[in-house]
Amino acid sequence: MVGIVIVSHSRQLAEGVAELATQMTQGKAALAVAAGVNDPENPIGTDAIAIMTAIASVYHDEGVVVLMDLGSALLSTEMALELLDDEMRSRVFMSAAPLVEGTMAAVVAAAAGLSAQQILQEAEAALEAKQNHLGMAAPAAPLAITSPTTGKLLHCAWRVANPHGLHTRPAAAIVGALAGLDAEVWLERDGQRVNARSLNSIAKLAVKLGDLIDFITSGPQADEAVAAFNTLAQGHFGEAHLLAEAAAEPNIEHDEQRVQRVPGAITGDAVNGGIARGPAVIFTAVMPAVPERPYAGNEIESQTLAQACDQVQQHLQQQAKGPQGDIFHAHGLMLADPELMERVQQAIAQGQIAPAAWLSTMQQLAQEYAQADSHYMREREADVWDIARQVMCQLTGSGPQRLQLAGPCILLASDLMPSDVANLDKENVVALCLSEGAKTSHSAILARAMGIPAIVKAQGCLEQVQSGQEVILDGFNGLLWLTPDESTALALETRRVEWLEQRQIQRQAAHQPAVTLDGQAVQILANIGGPEDVAAALAAGAEGVGLFRTEFLFQAHDTLPDEELQYQIYRDIAAAFGNKPLTIRSLDVGGDKPLAAFPMAQEENPFLGLRGVRLCLAYPELLLAQLRAVLRAHAEQPNIQLMIPMIATVEEFRTVKALVEQARQGLSLPLEPKLALGIMVEVPAAVLNAEVLAQEVDFFSIGTNDLTQYVMAADRGNSAVAALVNYHEPAVLKAIALTCQAALGAGIPVSMCGEMAGDTGATELLLHLGLTKLSASASMLPALKAQVRESHYIKEN
């Protein structure tokens, strides 16, 4: 790192400047002072020997930049340089920048790891901001728009229409859209230019609704970068759906809701409807403390940090596959931000242990978000702390913070991190009340996804409520009742009972058959990830399991689960469902699903590589133990059937079929009862081969998540192409129709287990296409059954 030396006639002046610079960088720059002379009666002056000593104290092979105040300071510095050897002298640079502003700019640039020449440029341009403010700066030359083949710049402008500007998720979309392109990319607003590959830098631009931004690029793939940015911008950075909503809502930036005081209640903002009563439990998030241990050296500390970040990143990738996964996807991009990691590495290089370097860097980043101009961006500070705490838990070995709840309760907190909400005991948390937060906060979005009554901005709730105190939360009106009068209490209780009765009726109806208005029975099944999901599926009225994701079983272990463990799990789940079907999907990893117990080679395009059955056929040992376990369980529980993911060709299926037969013979099991063997239809080749495949398999199951992304050639995890990942696209619907026609012609059943199966808005359309089996998450089943009962199987004219 480049060292900085301040030379001044006045020690008090130099030390004051140094103190300000140190506060700005939290001591991250190598800074020395050479000021005044050792004469109590005449302390004003400069000393060449002191300057030489200061240079030596911060010397680095990358160089030293010296800033001076006036007059003899320059002469003394030149004399000091004459006292240095030639090699050291060649790496010392004197700056003509003004002392105060130049030092501030130089120290910040040095702390960021810039080169000596870049630091000199930053220091010497330090007055521009002040000159601009006072109207004294010369107008900037317009940016050239030329071909990247000449090594110059291309740019395009865009007026931001996103209701909350370029906050975390749109910024994440930009970073994702530009990933892998061989080009330099920047984003600029009002003359401020930042690295467009940095999530945090984009966020700190504080781009608001109506702001004009410039995308600037150069390099071999500059044309592609402009095209990618234009496509993303036309889709409003993945938030086109919010524009219509924003038009109907007040602007929270300038029109904050007025809080109406209600006697006996604390007023907040309603997030999710419902009424709940119960004892209050107060949750206080705890950031793990930095451990007291010696510094292990730059390499070991960096490895420790990398391992912790990798663990958190894997966890985020799993959460990104669930409800509101885009939140955790954005967290993953924030964690992977190269500029963030560079700041932490600089702190480690300066002698901080990994936990201290991480926490200090994240504290600084959170402060930057907290001071943003945008109200919405300030709310994202909670996301920074969430990531900070998760990595600190890994670095310190403290593990995630979990609440131990004795029974149903109303949870109160200042705010909850998304990871806190995701880890809540959903059986016992009947309502949520936050003193901070906002309707647009990620914790609020996740609370809505959980389906529990919730309010935010209930200021004073933590001070006025005691743990264990009985409270009533009205999620419809945003009220936390502490001391309602008698008539209010009675009215609340009446409404609460009515609401609970309505939910109870829905649950009871969930166990009734789902039959359409024209008499077609539709089988409603559950998607599960393991034994822990069985009770919820049965309680929700599941008529079997349409998808058992066995990869969760494999990913939950450091080593591959053996045949005996798999057999016991498959057998026990099948027994729990009695004569209802249990559809086990064979191991489906690769692509976006890593397997720690079986490391896979990096692939340039993993979604088109060794995924699902392709991986299992390349490494049959992964599949054979599972096949033996399934066959053994099926011998005791004949309601088990097996389906194979990512089948594209008849030859692949026949190879799997041969392995099943090999495993059966190895176990000396009889031919009957026969194990039904089907496939997931999720790649276009399977659709186009459906008529031939239908003659070979026992059933089809359509996986709309992968089918949609492969038909549309759009990564479902990439928000830049989110508009294309839409199962209502005619091409996707045609693929579903062709699959159903092939199944009907061959006389085999066809089901659907992707996200579309649980979308009640698509239910009647799927019935019209010929589907009579739908499999979704347990929480969706009651509504799905209700929708079937209100639909027609045969399309009315």
Side-chain angles (χ1 to χ4, degrees):
M1 177 184 293
V2 175
I4 305 295
V5 174
I6 301 173
V7 178
S8 173
H9 287 71
S10 167
R11 172 157 287 276
Q12 288 182 322
L13 171 62
E15 289 179 344
V17 173
E19 180 182 359
L20 180 59
T22 300
Q23 289 176 0
M24 287 185 65
T25 62
Q26 298 185 342
K28 294 179 181 176
L31 178 63
V33 169
V37 294
N38 190 20
D39 183 348
E41 294 184 4
N42 299 288
I44 301 299
T46 55
D47 183 344
I49 299 299
I51 297 171
M52 181 189 71
T53 303
I55 292 171
S57 71
V58 296
Y59 180 78
H60 192 279
D61 286 346
E62 294 181 8
V64 176
V65 171
V66 183
L67 296 107
M68 303 145 287
D69 55 9
L70 44 84
S72 64
L74 173 59
L75 299 175
S76 297
T77 301
E78 290 176 333
M79 185 180 297
L81 294 184
E82 292 297 324
L83 301 174
L84 300 174
D85 61 53
D86 291 344
E87 183 178 354
M88 183 178 289
R89 185 187 310 118
S90 68
R91 292 187 171 92
V92 179
F93 307 94
M94 293 189 291
S95 172
L99 185 67
V100 178
E101 292 86 351
T103 300
M104 298 304 108
V107 171
V108 170
L114 299 187
S115 68
Q117 291 304 318
Q118 290 172 316
I119 292 169
L120 286 169
Q121 291 171 5
E122 288 288 304
E124 289 164 12
L127 281 180
E128 288 181 3
K130 187 185 291 184
Q131 290 169 333
N132 254 342
H133 186 76
L134 296 175
M136 299 167 62
L143 184 64
I145 308 175
T146 56
S147 169
T149 59
T150 66
K152 297 189 178 179
L153 302 175
L154 290 177
H155 80 173
C156 60
W158 181 259
R159 181 78 63 183
V160 173
N162 299 58
H164 303 296
L166 295 188
H167 59 91
T168 308
R169 276 175 282 180
I174 294 172
V175 174
L178 301 174
L181 292 177
D182 185 8
E184 295 295 321
V185 289
W186 302 272
L187 207 63
E188 184 172 290
R189 179 185 73 94
D190 293 340
Q192 183 181 358
R193 185 181 297 185
V194 300
N195 182 356
R197 297 192 192 278
S198 168
L199 184 74
N200 297 314
S201 293
I202 296 172
K204 285 182 287 184
L205 272 181
V207 177
K208 299 185 290 295
L209 170 67
D211 282 352
L212 184 67
I213 58 174
D214 270 321
F215 174 70
I216 306 161
T217 180
S218 70
Q221 291 187 289
D223 283 322
E224 290 90 337
V226 169
F229 181 83
N230 266 325
T231 300
L232 190 61
Q234 293 294 333
H236 299 289
F237 309 100
E239 290 193 334
H241 61 288
L242 295 181
L243 269 61
E245 298 173 14
E249 294 181 356
N251 185 346
I252 62 172
E253 292 285 313
H254 307 291
D255 188 20
E256 295 284 353
Q257 282 188 323
R258 294 183 179 179
V259 177
Q260 180 181 359
R261 298 191 179 278
V262 178
I266 296 173
T267 303
D269 290 347
V271 167
N272 204 46
I275 297 176
R277 185 184 67 193
V281 171
I282 297 176
F283 174 79
T284 303
V286 177
M287 178 71 73
V290 175
E292 294 184 4
R293 65 169 177 81
Y295 180 65
N298 192 354
E299 183 176 353
I300 293 177
E301 296 292 350
S302 297
Q303 289 175 353
T304 300
L305 174 68
Q307 290 169 0
C309 290
D310 286 345
Q311 289 294 320
V312 174
Q313 195 68 265
Q314 289 179 23
H315 186 56
L316 290 171
Q317 288 170 359
Q318 291 301 317
Q319 290 178 312
K321 300 170 191 174
Q324 305 301 325
D326 57 340
I327 294 173
F328 299 103
H329 178 66
H331 282 196
L333 283 174
M334 184 181 287
L335 180 57
D337 188 327
E339 292 194 359
L340 172 62
M341 288 299 109
E342 184 178 350
R343 290 164 68 173
V344 184
Q345 292 294 349
Q346 288 173 359
I348 290 175
Q350 291 173 1
Q352 292 189 41
I353 63 173
W358 172 257
L359 187 57
S360 64
T361 301
M362 295 304 282
Q363 286 172 334
Q364 182 179 359
L365 181 61
Q367 184 65 23
E368 291 167 358
Y369 273 84
Q371 294 174 349
D373 293 336
S374 163
H375 173 89
Y376 194 85
M377 287 307 305
R378 291 194 295 273
E379 291 174 0
R380 301 284 75 76
E381 179 190 358
D383 299 311
V384 176
W385 286 119
D386 194 356
I387 296 168
R389 196 177 69 187
Q390 291 185 69
V391 174
M392 283 296 290
C393 285
Q394 292 292 334
L395 287 169
T396 60
S398 57
Q401 189 175 355
R402 298 186 184 276
L403 273 177
Q404 299 297 323
L405 303 175
C409 67
I410 294 176
L411 187 67
L412 276 66
S414 172
D415 198 359
L416 288 177
M417 310 297 183
S419 59
D420 293 328
V421 179
N423 291 327
L424 286 180
D425 179 354
K426 297 174 180 62
E427 293 297 320
N428 282 323
V429 176
V430 297
L432 179 64
C433 177
L434 303 180
S435 66
E436 304 297 332
K439 289 183 178 182
T440 55
S441 68
H442 289 159
S443 53
I445 294 170
L446 288 165
R448 284 193 291 271
M450 287 171 57
I452 58 174
I455 66 175
V456 297
K457 286 193 175 178
Q459 297 180 357
C461 65
L462 299 180
E463 293 77 18
Q464 298 179 46
V465 178
Q466 299 295 319
S467 187
Q469 177 181 344
E470 189 83 4
V471 295
I472 302 172
L473 188 139
D474 180 355
F476 296 114
N477 296 303
L479 297 171
L480 181 68
W481 288 93
L482 310 183
T483 55
D485 58 42
E486 186 174 346
S487 62
T488 300
L490 181 60
L492 285 168
E493 181 62 15
T494 300
R495 290 183 63 207
R496 187 182 76 86
V497 170
E498 290 174 350
W499 179 65
L500 291 174
E501 286 177 349
Q502 183 182 23
R503 294 185 68 187
Q504 184 62 25
I505 290 171
Q506 293 173 344
R507 290 194 182 103
Q508 290 172 350
H511 293 273
Q512 298 173 9
V515 180
T516 65
L517 293 171
D518 47 2
Q520 174 65 50
V522 179
Q523 194 173 22
I524 303 300
L525 308 158
N527 297 339
I528 67 171
E532 65 278 3
D533 296 333
V534 170
L538 289 169
E543 298 168 355
V545 173
L547 170 62
F548 176 12
R549 299 183 177 96
T550 59
E551 63 269 18
F552 291 172
L553 169 62
F554 281 73
Q555 290 170 331
H557 294 78
D558 294 331
T559 58
L560 293 175
D562 61 23
E563 177 187 325
E564 185 64 24
L565 175 61
Q566 292 187 64
Y567 153 71
Q568 292 174 6
I569 290 175
Y570 303 154
R571 177 200 61 192
D572 292 348
I573 293 177
F577 280 93
N579 62 352
K580 298 173 181 176
L582 169 63
T583 308
I584 297 173
R585 180 171 69 186
S586 64
L587 181 62
D588 186 14
V589 292
D592 59 345
K593 303 175 193 173
L595 186 58
F598 193 86
M600 291 165 264
Q602 294 291 324
E603 296 179 283
E604 185 172 348
N605 194 333
F607 284 101
L608 301 181
L610 286 179
R611 286 194 64 192
V613 70
R614 301 172 182 179
L615 181 71
C616 289
L617 292 181
Y619 302 97
E621 65 272 21
L622 280 174
L623 185 59
L624 279 170
Q626 184 173 39
L627 294 179
R628 289 171 59 88
V630 169
L631 286 164
R632 288 173 59 193
H634 174 259
E636 298 181 33
Q637 300 291 336
N639 59 324
I640 291 175
Q641 56 185 18
L642 180 67
M643 67 178 176
I644 314 301
M646 291 292 293
I647 288 287
T649 69
V650 173
E651 288 72 20
E652 286 175 327
F653 181 75
R654 288 173 178 167
T655 303
V656 173
K657 201 171 182 178
L659 288 172
V660 173
E661 179 59 19
Q662 176 187 329
R664 185 194 67 78
Q665 293 181 11
L667 293 167
S668 300
L669 292 174
L671 285 170
E672 297 295 335
K674 179 179 178 291
L675 173 68
L677 194 61
I679 65 167
M680 294 278 290
V681 177
E682 51 191 341
V683 298
V687 175
L688 298 175
N689 290 329
E691 289 186 358
V692 181
L693 283 167
Q695 303 300 320
E696 297 275 344
V697 307
D698 296 312
F699 62 90
F700 284 159
S701 181
I702 302 173
T704 53
N705 298 349
D706 271 326
L707 180 61
T708 302
Q709 80 164 347
Y710 287 130
V711 167
M712 302 306 297
D715 179 0
R716 69 175 189 254
N718 185 346
S719 58
V721 292
L724 291 172
V725 189
N726 177 7
Y727 45 66
H728 289 291
E729 285 286 341
V732 180
L733 296 178
K734 182 67 177 291
I736 295 170
L738 289 172
T739 303
C740 292
Q741 290 168 14
L744 181 63
I748 64 170
V750 57
S751 64
M752 178 178 287
C753 59
E755 183 181 351
M756 189 179 187
D759 182 353
T760 55
T763 301
E764 191 157 25
L765 171 61
L766 295 177
L767 297 178
H768 294 163
L769 291 174
L771 284 156
T772 57
K773 295 184 179 183
L774 300 172
S775 187
S777 299
S779 62
M780 299 177 177
L781 301 189
L784 186 54
K785 283 193 168 185
Q787 184 61 47
V788 169
R789 298 185 193 110
E790 298 174 2
S791 302
H792 289 85
Y793 181 65
I794 305 298
K795 187 174 183 179
E796 294 181 305
N797 294 326

